[in-house]
Amino acid sequence: MDLSSWDAFKRELTACTRCPRLVAHREEVGRKKRRAFQDWTYWARPVPGFGDPQARLVLFGLAPGAHGSNRTGRPFTGDASGAFLYPLLYQAGLSSKPESEPHDDLRLYGTYLTAAVRCAPPENKPTREELLACSAWTRVELGLLREARVYLALGRIALEALLDHFGMKKTAHPFFHGAHYLLPDGRHLLASYHVSRQNTQTGRLTREMFLEILLKAKGLAGL
């Protein structure tokens, strides 16, 4: 299987059925829907990353939201996490507009969004086996992002997935908001609290906190 092009990667990814629990959940959510989205045809498949294929900055999340990305087919789009994230990307000069809607003309500048798991997991909690299965897609996707210089992990699980990807010890690189580690090749790995509703509504992660680390990542990436 040749996954050396973006088109091939997205075609194969969106057909993935490796994890039966995730397949069942994403499709059940797409059938039942939320009342507010009864008129929608849910994406209900693995969600490919979104952004600039020449990105120097990669934001790496956890997994699609059941009624967000699993509905719209675009990372951080259609739920509270995106409503928090995209205005700050715009404020940081990394996007062409402060909101994201499916099939719009939004562009990200030097930035790419993806996640450790590409299917919406029950209760937003992927298993270790599901993370391992999806790490194969991470290898392909990050391999295609040849210009990447900075990785910003959103949450502990995202950080640990990237540490696994880069062959780095988790015990030597603990998660905390604002963490900054050097990769073996000199590139940068940063960490932030996830932009989830739970974190942003409780004040654990504020707009000011996230904008600060986003601007730091932008500067390290030379954007």
Side-chain angles (χ1 to χ4, degrees):
M1 185 186 307
D2 180 13
L3 297 180
S4 60
S5 73
W6 283 106
D7 287 344
F9 166 70
K10 290 179 180 180
R11 182 174 61 250
E12 295 296 329
L13 170 68
T14 55
C16 183
T17 57
R18 292 179 187 176
C19 303
R21 188 182 79 116
L22 297 187
V23 172
H25 181 67
R26 78 194 189 201
E27 294 180 356
E28 180 183 21
V29 169
R31 286 192 302 271
K32 292 185 175 180
K33 307 180 183 180
R34 182 171 283 173
R35 181 177 297 177
F37 306 126
Q38 287 299 309
D39 294 336
W40 277 77
T41 299
Y42 274 50
W43 174 259
R45 286 178 279 165
V47 178
F50 172 74
D52 184 350
Q54 304 299 317
R56 297 175 65 87
L57 170 59
V58 178
L59 273 66
F60 196 79
L62 171 59
H67 301 281
S69 301
N70 187 56
R71 172 172 61 91
T72 64
R74 181 186 289 177
F76 299 102
T77 298
D79 59 17
S81 63
F84 180 90
L85 175 64
Y86 281 103
L88 293 174
L89 288 173
Y90 179 73
Q91 188 173 343
L94 296 171
S95 70
S96 62
K97 51 199 293 189
E99 64 279 323
S100 173
E101 296 290 342
H103 313 300
D104 64 7
D105 60 353
L106 173 66
R107 293 181 60 198
L108 299 185
Y109 304 132
T111 303
Y112 188 86
L113 310 178
T114 189
V117 174
R118 277 77 179 174
C119 295
E123 299 180 357
N124 208 32
K125 295 179 180 178
T127 65
R128 179 175 299 182
E129 293 75 18
E130 289 160 354
L131 283 159
L132 180 60
C134 220
S135 68
W137 294 117
T138 295
R139 285 194 296 274
V140 177
E141 190 169 29
L142 296 191
L144 289 168
L145 292 165
R146 297 180 179 91
E147 302 301 318
R149 295 294 176 268
V150 180
Y151 301 86
L152 175 54
L154 305 182
R156 179 184 58 81
I157 294 175
L159 175 65
E160 292 183 352
L162 285 175
L163 291 171
D164 283 340
H165 173 74
F166 291 114
M168 299 167 68
K169 291 184 178 180
K170 299 173 187 174
T171 53
H173 304 89
F175 172 80
F176 58 92
H177 181 80
H180 181 186
Y181 302 116
L182 283 180
L183 299 179
D185 61 7
R187 292 182 295 171
H188 300 270
L189 174 57
L190 280 65
S192 166
Y193 289 131
H194 194 280
V195 293
S196 66
R197 179 192 294 269
Q198 180 180 3
N199 285 338
T200 60
Q201 287 200 338
T202 60
R204 188 180 196 188
L205 179 66
T206 66
R207 290 173 52 86
E208 292 76 18
M209 288 169 63
F210 190 72
L211 183 60
E212 181 179 11
I213 197 165
L214 189 60
L215 290 173
K216 178 178 180 178
K218 177 185 177 183
L220 290 169
L223 294 172

